[in-house]
Amino acid sequence: MALRKLVAGNWKMHGLAVDLGEVRAIAEASRTADCDVALCLPATLIERAVRAVPGFAIGAQDVHQDDKGAHTGCVSAAMLLDAGARLTIVGHSERREAQGESDSDVRAKADAALLAGLQVILCIGESDAVREAGQAVATVSAQLDASLPHGEGAATGVPARLAVAYEPIWAIGTGKVPSIADIGEMHAALRRRLQAAYGEAGDAVRILYGGSVKASNAAEIFAVPDVDGALVGGASLKAADFLPIVAAAR
Ligand code: PEP
């Protein structure tokens, strides 16, 4: 089944008020896109971006699993919704590594976000050592099984509001990309894991590829079976870089 593609930008720790012009340009051009488009911005920009581009999907890059409480510096799903966000990334490898987030943390975040009504992009991916050891598919499949939402949030949110992003850690921000055959092998394996977890509903979960996607490689990646879109970091910061990727997703 061919799913409508999703092209989501991850601005990471980039973006000030002066950059809202890029958000406006991306939102304006995306109105006629043949795919869903979203930008996951720093928390400080979410509300201003939502006001600047009403109707366009603005998201966050992380969420806390609790509704509220003594969690200094954290933001809940209810707070994101209150700011106008529609989606959030969970489990990005930069957070798994720097903040020590485990698969069970990621699962709790995904469940909480889905239960609150957000869409979720759940990230998984292998290190270069794992890829070189020939263990990429087994490792990432196990990571998916252990991170997938399975609580009350999953019951209400799968598959319509869940996307999985396969992001090899060694491909993020490096300019390196797996071979088309390797992307295809991984996405097919992840589709089988989603079917095992959710039955037929697993066919409707979008599987995004992420890691050094740019205008020059997007069309080839989007043509791979079970690649249902992309999570784009560096090339999402400027409309001139991001919009050709959106255009490639038909
Ligand atoms: C990312 O950080 O999610 C990402 C895919 O980054 P980049 O596109 O810059 O490799």
Side-chain angles (χ1 to χ4, degrees):
M1 176 171 58
L3 301 175
R4 184 174 165 84
K5 288 188 170 37
L6 167 64
V7 180
N10 172 16
W11 275 26
K12 311 193 188 193
M13 202 169 72
H14 299 283
L16 301 171
V18 294
D19 301 305
L20 286 170
E22 297 296 333
V23 175
R24 280 194 200 90
I26 289 167
E28 176 60 30
S30 297
R31 284 202 289 175
T32 53
D34 289 328
C35 62
D36 294 333
V37 183
L39 286 177
C40 296
L41 301 178
T44 48
L45 266 192
I46 289 174
E47 189 165 0
R48 277 176 290 173
V50 169
R51 287 184 200 282
V53 291
F56 180 76
I58 297 293
Q61 300 167 13
D62 180 48
V63 65
H64 196 277
Q65 57 268 37
D66 290 350
D67 293 343
K68 55 185 165 188
H71 303 295
T72 303
C74 299
V75 176
S76 72
M79 291 169 179
L80 294 178
L81 284 162
D82 192 45
R86 285 201 219 156
L87 69 151
T88 186
I89 296 170
V90 297
H92 193 283
S93 59
E94 289 159 9
R95 291 198 60 86
R96 287 179 184 263
E97 203 173 301
Q99 271 73 35
E101 291 184 3
S102 67
D103 289 338
S104 59
D105 294 331
V106 174
R107 164 175 280 167
K109 286 168 184 256
D111 259 325
L114 288 170
L115 187 59
L118 289 166
Q119 296 172 45
V120 168
I121 299 176
L122 191 169
C123 300
I124 48 178
E126 82 282 2
S127 66
D128 51 358
V130 166
R131 167 68 58 187
E132 276 164 29
Q135 294 300 312
V137 171
T139 301
V140 177
S141 297
Q143 200 183 18
L144 179 69
D145 289 349
S147 306
L148 270 183
H150 67 167
E152 209 184 332
T156 58
V158 171
R161 287 185 289 111
L162 176 67
V164 167
Y166 165 55
E167 299 205 303
I169 298 167
W170 52 271
I172 294 177
T174 59
K176 294 184 200 159
V177 177
S179 70
I180 290 300
D182 285 346
I183 294 175
E185 181 190 29
M186 184 65 79
H187 280 236
L190 297 177
R191 177 67 64 207
R192 289 193 293 275
R193 298 313 310 153
L194 288 166
Q195 289 164 339
Y198 301 132
E200 269 184 25
D203 284 333
V205 176
R206 290 186 282 202
I207 308 176
L208 316 183
Y209 168 77
S212 296
V213 175
K214 41 189 190 284
S216 58
N217 60 20
E220 192 184 16
I221 293 171
F222 288 146
V224 177
D226 280 315
V227 172
D228 307 309
L231 183 56
V232 183
S236 69
L237 293 171
K238 298 282 176 205
D241 296 328
F242 191 54
L243 290 174
I245 299 172
V246 171
R250 291 170 194 289

